[in-house]
Amino acid sequence: MTKYTQKFKLDLIQEYLDTGCSQRCLENKYSLPKDTLKKWWTVYNLKGPERLNLRHFKRKFTVDFKLRVINYYLNNDVSMSKVAASHNLLCSQISIWLKLFMEGGSEALKPKKKGRPSKMSKMTKKDARKILKKESDEIAALKSELRQVKMERDILKKSLILFGPPKAKEKTIIVDQIRVDQQNLPKRKDMGLVSF
């Protein structure tokens, strides 16, 4: 669709006023779509020449505004084109709002989220750091536990190799000796060390 400048629209309206030519005649002369000059003329009469400017941004309308426009249209004996011109809207927009309102009430006029819903919840950097810290602490604890279990396993293997199935007291002495050798495990206090 062709965008027309404010100057062109005002010149056309002025020609309409000066020549006395019909709106349809001027639309044919300038190859305009049907009822274009009629819409411009209505906007010019209701809101003045500044409303004939092009809009270069997408407007967002609140539910309250949509309800006021629908209420105005339904309660007053005014055509949809005049309501559209008075509120600086398109007739099609009012028609869409009216249809949505008739089908679903004011809830249907609320804006809907566009696009596909995200599959993952959005987390902040702070949340990500907390999770990473928690997981790294957990990994460190598991590594420490694994190291402890491996040393205890080695202790049991060495004692079986050296002495065969030991008695409880001998087993404790051997374990304490290996702990001293490893220097990572605490020494038991109830038994003394035996030298070989």
Side-chain angles (χ1 to χ4, degrees):
M1 179 174 165
T2 307
K3 304 268 183 181
Y4 302 100
T5 64
Q6 182 186 20
K7 183 182 181 324
F8 175 75
K9 294 174 185 178
L10 289 172
D11 289 345
L12 204 58
I13 289 171
Q14 192 61 46
E15 186 176 341
Y16 170 68
L17 292 172
D18 292 344
T19 61
C21 190
S22 70
Q23 290 177 352
R24 177 88 61 221
C25 176
L26 287 174
E27 287 172 350
N28 290 337
K29 180 180 175 184
Y30 291 101
S31 301
L32 296 172
K34 182 182 174 190
D35 292 333
T36 302
L37 186 56
K38 180 181 176 185
K39 290 175 192 172
W40 294 346
W41 175 249
T42 308
V43 170
Y44 180 81
N45 281 333
L46 291 174
K47 295 290 185 173
E50 63 277 347
R51 289 295 186 142
L52 292 174
N53 277 337
L54 291 174
R55 287 189 300 265
H56 296 288
F57 58 91
K58 185 174 180 178
R59 299 180 299 170
K60 294 182 181 179
F61 302 103
T62 63
V63 176
D64 185 45
F65 176 77
K66 294 174 187 178
L67 288 172
R68 277 189 285 138
V69 171
I70 292 169
N71 189 31
Y72 182 79
Y73 173 70
L74 293 175
N75 292 330
N76 297 312
D77 191 27
V78 182
S79 69
M80 193 174 287
S81 62
K82 287 195 178 185
V83 173
S86 67
H87 290 89
N88 197 19
L89 298 168
L90 299 174
C91 291
S92 59
Q93 188 64 64
I94 296 173
S95 177
I96 290 169
W97 292 346
L98 184 62
K99 181 181 176 190
L100 288 171
F101 179 73
M102 295 295 193
E103 290 174 358
S106 62
E107 284 293 316
L109 295 175
K110 289 185 178 177
K112 313 252 182 321
K113 235 181 173 179
K114 294 193 165 114
R116 187 170 52 169
S118 62
K119 293 181 181 179
M120 295 176 54
S121 64
K122 294 185 179 183
M123 82 169 59
T124 63
K125 286 184 177 182
K126 191 175 183 179
D127 294 336
R129 285 187 196 121
K130 283 181 183 177
I131 292 171
L132 187 63
K133 171 91 169 99
K134 182 181 172 186
E135 288 180 355
S136 63
D137 290 347
E138 195 174 311
I139 289 171
L142 289 172
K143 283 183 178 180
S144 174
E145 185 180 346
L146 178 63
R147 192 171 43 251
Q148 178 79 22
V149 169
K150 282 183 177 180
M151 284 194 289
E152 288 177 1
R153 180 200 63 200
D154 291 343
I155 290 170
L156 291 174
K157 280 183 180 179
K158 285 182 181 180
S159 68
L160 283 174
I161 291 172
L162 292 174
F163 307 107
K167 297 177 186 158
K169 198 171 193 174
E170 292 174 352
K171 188 177 191 180
T172 307
I173 294 171
I174 293 170
V175 169
D176 285 340
Q177 182 67 40
I178 294 173
R179 281 187 180 157
V180 169
D181 293 342
Q182 295 286 333
Q183 294 182 358
N184 287 332
L185 298 174
K187 182 181 169 188
R188 290 189 57 162
K189 293 181 181 179
D190 60 343
M191 297 289 179
L193 293 176
V194 175
S195 58
F196 293 98

